[in-house]
Amino acid sequence: MPLIAQPQSMHFPEALALASGAVLRGYDLAYETYGALNADKSNAVLVCHALNASHHVAGSYAGQPRSEGWWDNMIGPGKSVDTDRFFVIGINNPGSCFGSTGPMHVNPDTGRVYGADFPVLTVEDWVNAQALLLDRLGIAQLAAVMGGSLGGMQALSWTLQYPDRARHAVVVASAPNLTAENIAFNEVARRAIVTDPDVHGGHYYQHGVVPKRGLRIARMIGHITYLSDDVMNAKFGRSLKAPTLPAAHGSLPPEGADPARGGPAPDLREYLYSTQDVEFQIESYLRYQGDKFSDYFDANTYLLITRALDYFDPARQHGGNLAQALAVARARFLLVSFTTDWRFAPARSREMVHALLENRRDVSYAEIDAPHGHDAFLLDDARYMSVVRSYFDGIAKELQ
Amino acid sequence: MPLIAQPQSMHFPEALALASGAVLRGYDLAYETYGALNADKSNAVLVCHALNASHHVAGSYAGQPRSEGWWDNMIGPGKSVDTDRFFVIGINNPGSCFGSTGPMHVNPDTGRVYGADFPVLTVEDWVNAQALLLDRLGIAQLAAVMGGSLGGMQALSWTLQYPDRARHAVVVASAPNLTAENIAFNEVARRAIVTDPDVHGGHYYQHGVVPKRGLRIARMIGHITYLSDDVMNAKFGRSLKAPTLPAAHGSLPPEGADPARGGPAPDLREYLYSTQDVEFQIESYLRYQGDKFSDYFDANTYLLITRALDYFDPARQHGGNLAQALAVARARFLLVSFTTDWRFAPARSREMVHALLENRRDVSYAEIDAPHGHDAFLLDDARYMSVVRSYFDGIAKELQ
């Protein structure tokens, strides 16, 4: 039976104190739940989202085909995270543009839309907000908290902020902080948005415009860092954009094409010799991704979420010593990384594994040989799905 | 005695036929020469420039301290490419913004500034223009043609277009074509420029504006790809921007700081919690680089040069078979790559080495273990300089 998702929302009248010293007052959190909470409320799994996702983690909305949640391949009845056994909660973080209170909502203190005045949030702030939602749901302790990428940072942070509230943490394709290069890519994306003449200092809603140029560039940069060089070569190589006439070259080569350098066989049509028209398929793909994103994503949210990524660094207050920072953790851990992920490379997961082992934590670690780069954490990969399934099978056994 | 450089210019009234089918009429080429051409004109070395450089390769301009050429560490009296023995020619390619005819010059066909109407050029077109300059200088055959990055592509192309006109080719930190990821980064940079409201379809000169926002973003993206992740961590890590008060944290950590993940020791000052202000040193560095570049580089030139990079692909007309494409080469080769260069990785140089060896060409290859990424080809590295010196010592012996 297909899983039907139903978005819910909860209002929090109390002020949420933030790391910056600011507070967030009178906010709503959007969330979804799948499966049933058991009698002793011990089977809850919290799923944290990354930059471009939401509380809609699994299932589809009634009457809306192709509305699958972003981790629907992982989570659902009989899936790796089995909603027949677990009560799974997807939550949308404050500052997002997908339902929870964010920059396009009204600031109760001023009666005006927040825009650029929305307070800057950290991973720790999000975890605090998530904990308050669990309080209201009556869940004292999670069976597991899980997430990929920025979601993995939240899962890790849960084990540090609330060591006794998550028995397991599943941290996929993540890192204990951003490298200078990671921050650099975020900064270029932010500059593209902030220098877009339509941004109006972040108060563009009042001007009836959206800094789409900047959002497009931000998304194009992001997309490059989500994919591996090899998968880009295999998918697009140096192929030219499909001509308007139907032709053998008209469709993308299938995934799994020879991923050797140079990718698909060369395209012998003549170049257009243009600096502004689309010449190569990779250009067409990136422009499409940028256009699509700029139609639905909020620019202020992009700024906020990339900053939360930049700031996350639990070792910072411990002189850079990650093992010391993780000493408070009590959870058991599954970490997963992907060989071709150069955004959050396997070495970054191994740093966390080593720091946890130094603290004699119980850690499982899988380095999945996958060609898809950082995006692999969202894709179907038999070994990846099977590693997560086995781990959750183990958690399910503890429930019996 | 310091080398004094003197820019020169040569006018070409004849039309240059371009790969696109267009022609370039009545153009000038800027160039510099260092050292003396010997009696039989056999000691000339042509140096080809990359994206952001010019004919000013070596020496300084009289009365202008700190005006060293971009490869001054490599080329000069007693240096690896010794101008006491070789007659070195630096040339500025057409389409550039540093002296040769480019988009900001007047189109003789219309009497108006070219702007976006400047014809799209290829690496092959540049090599043809360079060959015409050599004709005028009376140089039938080069002792060597050399270049790094895009300049290396020109050096390689010389051996294919004019197999008998260069006895040696020195191809540094280069590639036989761009990968999909390389093209993707170029495309994002181009989109940032082309969607800048100040671009006016490439005819911004007439409007008295410059698409600086786009140029800044383009340069920031470029800079990230020129550096290695490790050198960024070593140089900047997660250090915060220097406070206005003098403090121990105020200066950049020296190069050679611990390049381990995380780089310099954590900076314990409080975050600013701002999405728009500079927080981290890496942001400050990138913004500075972007600002500086947008003050002197021409946006149309950026579009043209990145397209020439995209188009270069000598194997294209040979079904993707690089060995077949290189079969016409007669030169002897030195190729150099740098271990941490992820823009043009060592594997790309090895592709060329293998293709040349398949053709039983004489090839020397050095893979230099350097932390600086693609930028390494411009930097002082004792092993790198020594490899090039030995190679040119060998060429000098042939002259005697």
Side-chain angles (χ1 to χ4, degrees), chain A residues 195-376:
Chain A
T195 63
D196 184 325
D198 284 336
V199 84
H200 296 287
H203 295 287
Y204 45 89
Y205 316 107
Q206 299 167 21
H207 295 78
V209 292
V210 167
K212 284 203 172 198
R213 299 180 199 87
L215 270 171
R216 285 191 198 107
I217 297 295
R219 183 57 165 180
M220 290 171 85
I221 294 169
H223 243 283
I224 298 176
T225 69
Y226 303 152
L227 298 178
S228 71
D229 193 16
D230 279 351
V231 84
M232 271 201 188
N233 276 330
K235 267 190 157 170
F236 305 105
R238 298 181 48 81
S239 298
L240 302 183
K241 185 172 173 276
T244 38
L245 293 172
H249 305 286
S251 59
L252 281 187
E255 262 192 67
D258 177 12
R261 290 277 172 193
D267 188 327
L268 292 180
R269 281 171 293 136
E270 195 45 59
Y271 289 142
L272 297 175
Y273 296 107
S274 160
T275 58
Q276 304 204 12
D277 297 321
V278 166
E279 180 81 278
F280 296 93
Q281 285 189 359
I282 180 66
E283 299 175 309
S284 173
Y285 171 79
L286 283 179
R287 288 197 197 184
Y288 173 76
Q289 294 293 341
D291 287 349
K292 202 173 63 167
F293 188 72
S294 73
D295 282 342
Y296 72 81
F297 206 86
D298 178 66
N300 282 316
T301 292
Y302 203 90
L303 301 179
L304 288 170
I305 297 189
T306 54
R307 251 324 184 206
L309 272 161
D310 291 354
Y311 285 142
F312 183 66
D313 187 11
R316 188 167 187 265
Q317 298 303 332
H318 298 269
N321 186 324
L322 185 62
Q324 218 172 82
L326 303 192
V328 297
R330 292 290 164 268
R332 278 167 283 168
F333 285 84
L334 169 65
L335 282 91
V336 181
S337 72
F338 300 93
T339 49
T340 57
D341 182 353
W342 60 280
R343 186 187 176 92
F344 292 152
R348 305 310 317 274
S349 282
R350 276 184 247 123
E351 282 177 58
M352 292 185 276
V353 170
H354 292 148
L356 290 165
L357 290 177
E358 266 192 65
N359 286 300
R360 301 176 180 279
R361 291 299 94 204
D362 187 335
V363 187
S364 302
Y365 175 54
E367 205 165 296
I368 306 286
D369 190 9
H372 304 96
H374 189 62
D375 254 6

